Amino acid sequence: MRSDANIAGPMTDPVPGPRTESAGEDVSRETPPPPLDDTPIGRAAQLAVEALGRAGEGLPRPQQTRIMVVANQKGGVGKTTTTVNLAASLALHGARVLVIDLDPQGNASTALGIDHHAEVPSIYDVLVESKPLSDVVQPVPDVEGLFCAPATIDLAGAEIELVSLVARESRLQRAIQAYEQPLDYILIDCPPSLGLLTVNALVAGAEVLIPIQCEYYALEGLGQLLRNVDLVRGHLNPALHVSTILLTMYDGRTRLASQVAEEVRGHFGDEVLRTSIPRSVRISEAPSYGQTVLTYDPGSSGSLSYLEAAREIALRGVGVHYDPQHAHAVGRNSQHSVSEGIQ
């Protein structure tokens, strides 16, 4: 949350002693320094300092690794953007985070500054060739505690190659179980489809995070995704559940965005994060520089929103519901399955 306090501290006087005004005895004898956020540059600087300061506060670590599957078969809803920026936010809060890029386009790898040309060891080798996950994981530059298992174009054929393999649905799960490095979070970026790659992610994870854009047809097709989650839970992974819904591309200037947000909250209730992600040029620009918005522009509205969303996710994981509007945590009152939300 923004603070109105002057975070840079008072300006120093070239001459010792208080500055005085000569206009009348009722005027304060000491002139306060101008607020830092009087100018656009000052406001941006203040937000950047506060964002990085908030990131350094640290959050409670989960008792065991939280494996979150970021899925939505619709394209363009912000899956990859959400994956990399939430991962960076959690890492900046002090967590150890692994991003697994399961999308053959490799956009998450690009956004994290990870090389993923055809010869790079990748998640394809893990799924199809049974290579250990530790052999393909790379540290992300600029963000301590953040790691990535990249995707290469080879992954485009993995759907077909997996069909004939033994235990084809659980190959990612076995690779993660054999990974010995300590992690607080694993975020899996799924392709915009419900094929074997997404099924591997759903079998490996316990939580599903669904980004939903605040636009027309936002809920279109979600029923099929929820049915697939139910099928995987019933046959392959009893622990799987939809834990988080994140509203993305929110434009507060339009009535449509607020109507969609209201509809999504009506369907999903408490699973919807209170924090929503605004439409932001900075969020869109960051991947072209091989960065997340957290390092590209720490003071931007997109960066602050992802930091708040990460705090909310982390606190929910330990049974606390975080309200960014009031900047205090309250006990979460209830939980319910969202599988009944959309038919």
Side-chain angles (χ1 to χ4, degrees), residues 71-80 82 211-213 218 246 248-249:
N72 190 333
Q73 74 267 34
K74 287 190 67 177
V77 300
K79 282 191 303 297
T80 297
T82 292
I212 298 179
Q213 85 278 34
L246 178 63
T248 62
M249 306 179 191

Side-chain angles (χ1 to χ4, degrees), residues 72-273:
N72 190 333
Q73 74 267 34
K74 287 190 67 177
V77 300
K79 282 191 303 297
T80 297
T81 301
T82 292
T83 302
V84 298
N85 286 299
L86 280 180
S89 298
L90 290 166
L92 288 171
H93 280 305
R96 288 177 60 85
V97 186
L98 170 63
V99 172
I100 296 178
D101 190 354
L102 273 191
D103 190 339
Q105 297 178 78
N107 291 336
S109 307
T110 299
L112 293 174
I114 299 295
D115 190 12
H116 59 100
H117 60 79
E119 287 75 31
V120 171
S122 71
I123 200 68
Y124 168 85
D125 301 299
V126 173
L127 293 175
V128 178
E129 307 293 341
S130 300
K131 180 173 284 197
L133 187 57
S134 56
D135 287 0
V136 307
V137 168
Q138 300 182 40
V140 173
D142 303 327
V143 183
E144 185 178 355
L146 182 56
F147 305 88
C148 177
T152 59
I153 193 61
D154 294 335
L155 203 56
E159 296 269 6
I160 298 172
E161 295 179 69
L162 283 170
V163 170
S164 60
L165 298 182
V166 176
R168 60 190 182 188
E169 300 94 353
S170 57
R171 295 179 74 84
L172 181 60
Q173 179 192 41
R174 293 184 179 188
I176 290 174
Q177 289 174 345
Y179 188 71
E180 296 180 349
Q181 296 298 320
L183 292 168
D184 297 304
Y185 296 89
I186 297 175
L187 273 67
I188 306 174
D189 183 32
C190 293
S193 66
L194 296 176
L196 269 175
L197 291 175
T198 300
V199 170
N200 261 270
L202 294 174
V203 172
E207 303 180 49
V208 180
L209 187 159
I210 306 177
I212 298 179
Q213 85 278 34
C214 295
E215 296 179 352
Y216 197 55
Y217 293 139
L219 301 180
E220 184 95 347
L222 270 188
Q224 184 59 52
L225 174 60
L226 295 177
R227 282 190 288 274
N228 280 32
V229 169
D230 284 339
L231 283 171
V232 172
R233 180 170 55 236
H235 297 281
L236 297 166
N237 182 7
L240 186 68
H241 65 288
V242 177
S243 68
T244 309
I245 308 290
L246 178 63
L247 294 167
T248 62
M249 306 179 191
Y250 185 86
D251 187 345
R253 299 169 299 179
T254 66
R255 182 179 300 176
L256 175 62
S258 58
Q259 289 174 340
V260 171
E262 184 178 344
E263 186 176 358
V264 171
R265 294 185 192 281
H267 275 303
F268 291 100
D270 286 346
E271 272 64 36
V272 185
L273 294 185

Side-chain angles (χ1 to χ4, degrees), residues 246-330:
L246 178 63
L247 294 167
T248 62
M249 306 179 191
Y250 185 86
D251 187 345
R253 299 169 299 179
T254 66
R255 182 179 300 176
L256 175 62
S258 58
Q259 289 174 340
V260 171
E262 184 178 344
E263 186 176 358
V264 171
R265 294 185 192 281
H267 275 303
F268 291 100
D270 286 346
E271 272 64 36
V272 185
L273 294 185
R274 290 173 179 264
T275 306
S276 58
I277 307 302
R279 277 199 175 279
S280 166
V281 174
R282 294 301 192 208
I283 292 177
S284 303
E285 288 176 345
S288 64
Y289 294 90
Q291 297 184 55
T292 66
V293 72
L294 279 301
T295 54
Y296 178 67
D297 189 352
S300 66
S301 61
S303 176
L304 294 170
S305 297
Y306 274 114
L307 283 167
E308 291 293 353
R311 288 182 65 80
E312 200 172 345
I313 287 171
L315 291 172
R316 283 184 173 202
V318 293
V320 176
H321 194 42
Y322 181 70
D323 185 351
Q325 296 299 319
H326 302 289
H328 68 274
V330 295

